[in-house]
């Protein structure tokens, strides 16, 4: 995140992460929320201005975020070497 972005979006990212934590999702980080906004939310909603982007960020729900996470997992092609140690599955 660029320094100007960190300044402009930092507060709302922290508040949104805290909201997720209070809702029972302590594993969600500001970096994951930021990636969601940049990779999916803003392009999909054609949010071109910082003001619109900030408003959309403030409206993210856990449902929206985890739907995106599931899509991301389903569409990402992992090789077996990328999956790491699978011994705990057997």
């Amino acid at each position: 995140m660029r320094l100007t972005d960190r300044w402009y979006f930092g507060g709302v990212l922290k508040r949104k992460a805290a909201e997720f934590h209070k809702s029972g999702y302590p594993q969600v980080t500001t970096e994951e929320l930021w990636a969601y906004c940049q990779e999916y939310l803003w392009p999909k909603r054609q949010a071109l201005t910082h003001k619109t982007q900030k408003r959309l960020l403030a409206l993210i729900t856990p449902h929206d975020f985890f739907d995106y996470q599931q899509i991301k997992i389903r569409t990402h092609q992992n090789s077996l070497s990328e999956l790491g140690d699978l011994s705990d599955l057997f």
Side-chain angles (χ1 to χ4, degrees):
M1 182 181 329
R2 294 185 320 226
L3 185 58
T4 55
D5 291 342
R6 185 181 309 260
W7 174 81
Y8 189 78
F9 294 105
V12 71
L13 277 168
K14 288 178 186 176
R15 285 190 298 277
K16 185 52 65 173
E19 181 182 312
F20 272 59
H21 298 169
K22 287 179 185 176
S23 296
Y25 305 107
Q27 72 281 9
V28 176
T29 66
T30 57
E31 291 80 16
E32 290 171 322
L33 289 168
W34 181 248
Y36 167 70
C37 289
Q38 290 188 309
E39 296 169 10
Y40 183 76
L41 179 65
W42 295 337
K44 182 180 179 191
R45 300 289 294 273
Q46 299 177 355
L48 302 177
T49 66
H50 278 83
K51 184 178 179 180
T52 303
Q53 291 169 342
K54 195 173 192 178
R55 183 179 51 79
L56 290 172
L57 171 55
L59 296 174
I60 295 171
T61 66
H63 179 75
D64 298 332
F65 178 75
F66 289 116
D67 277 354
Y68 164 74
Q69 292 294 326
Q70 288 180 357
I71 291 168
K72 190 173 162 183
I73 289 168
R74 288 180 184 166
T75 59
H76 182 72
Q77 297 292 328
N78 284 332
S79 67
L80 288 177
S81 63
E82 287 181 279
L83 294 176
D85 182 20
L86 302 175
S87 62
D88 60 336
L89 298 176
F90 303 102

